[in-house]
Amino acid sequence: MTDTLVQNASKNLTDVLRDVFLHDDSSTALVIYDLDSPLSRILTKAYREALPRGNFIHFHETDTELILSSIEALKAGDFVALVQSTSFRLSAFRIRIELFKKSIKVAEHPHLGRMPSEEEVNTYVNALAYEKTYYHHMGHTLKDMVNVAESAVVHSGGEKLIYQGGFEPAKINIGDYSQMKNMGGQFPIGEVFTESTVLTSLNGRTNIIAFGDTNYKVNIPPQPITIVIENGHLVATENSTEEFEAVLDMIKAEEQVVWVRELGLGLNRAMSKSNYVSDMGTYERMCGLHLSLGAKHGIYAKEGMKRNSGKFHIDVMIDTDTLTLDDTVVFDGEKWVV
């Protein structure tokens, strides 16, 4: 099974290197890795196959000075992969940010240790597959539709969540960096995201099937939890769990209220309601919808809310039946239909 997974991962990463990063042997490739989890070991082997001329550094067995000098030697247009069972730290040196400053392409694979089971490993490897035609069509089409939509309705098990007044300019994470300053980010990919232009215009009810818990892992409740949203705030729950209430209490202790911000349109077809992984940073790409709870958002600033001014950005996955933008159904069942 491991050999098959390495082969699948190598094929997927080869496609990503070619079609996403436009990488070839004229540029240097550096892979910084650890071997502390099943996924980190599989991805490291896969990168060795995909990058036979690459340079490889074992993070925990290499002096910090050598890691920094290897990074310093890179030139604009080179490629770096970060294969991390947790998240690499080099004191105040923020690896991905510093690499972007040097115009280096980055594929980051963090928190791999959160996904130890065979099923999760297989799902993660499949989620790395780069379906270029699908991602480009869905990503750009949904972005264009969101940017002109005046309203939206999320239908979920008889509940309705209603957006009014339009959306912030949508952002895409589909492996197309042609209009972006930086090339790369966290993998797997597959998402379009936005939020209400006026946060207080969001009202209604919806059912969630997963949330990021206080340990930053995906929590699947025994039955969908209904959340009630009034004027952009989560004000009540039904069929809730102790773990979800602990998340809400944590947010309210710091921010007094629970804002509902991001509307994420996940595109990655390797993940679904029934096919999930334990790392929310990965699972939020699931083919479906998610929201964020808490005042923090790194992209959109609102009056009284600077970017990243809040403390919390907790993703929750919606049990979505359909999503309608204005009068057009764009999500139906478990698939995008544009």
Side-chain angles (χ1 to χ4, degrees), residues 217-290:
K217 295 184 69 174
V218 173
N219 185 297
I220 309 291
Q223 60 182 320
I225 298 171
T226 302
I227 59 175
V228 182
I229 300 168
E230 295 179 1
N231 301 320
H233 297 150
L234 191 159
V235 297
T237 60
E238 297 173 10
N239 303 316
S240 191
T241 64
E242 289 185 10
E243 293 88 349
F244 187 61
E245 293 303 315
V247 170
L248 300 183
D249 290 342
M250 180 178 67
I251 296 172
K252 285 184 281 191
E254 293 284 341
E255 301 178 358
Q256 287 72 60
V257 298
V258 180
W259 283 101
V260 181
R261 295 205 58 174
E262 180 176 300
L263 172 63
L265 317 181
L267 305 178
N268 198 307
R269 296 190 285 195
M271 293 177 285
S272 65
K273 297 177 186 178
S274 58
N275 202 23
Y276 62 90
V277 295
S278 296
D279 176 54
M280 184 55 84
T282 300
Y283 189 48
E284 69 172 313
R285 272 71 157 152
M286 178 201 88
C287 192
L289 304 183
H290 64 269

Side-chain angles (χ1 to χ4, degrees), residues 284-302:
E284 69 172 313
R285 272 71 157 152
M286 178 201 88
C287 192
L289 304 183
H290 64 269
L291 307 171
S292 75
L293 307 182
K296 182 177 180 179
H297 203 291
I299 302 298
Y300 303 116
K302 290 290 199 290

Side-chain angles (χ1 to χ4, degrees), residues 1 14 21 26 45 124 139 162 183 207 216 276 280 290:
M1 173 62 77
T14 297
F21 291 105
S26 66
K45 289 181 180 179
Y124 186 97
I162 301 172
M183 196 167 188
N207 298 322
Y216 306 102
Y276 62 90
M280 184 55 84
H290 64 269

Side-chain angles (χ1 to χ4, degrees), residues 75-78 98-105 181-182:
K75 303 184 299 294
D78 288 342
E98 298 302 324
L99 290 169
F100 280 154
K101 287 180 181 178
K102 291 168 61 69
S103 298
I104 292 166
K105 307 168 184 177
K181 178 182 178 182
N182 299 320

Side-chain angles (χ1 to χ4, degrees), residues 24 59 66 121 137 142 163 193 251 258 296 298 317 323 325 333:
D24 58 35
F59 183 79
L66 180 55
V121 169
H137 168 71
L142 288 169
Y163 288 83
F193 64 90
I251 296 172
V258 180
K296 182 177 180 179
M317 316 302 293
L323 168 65
L325 292 176

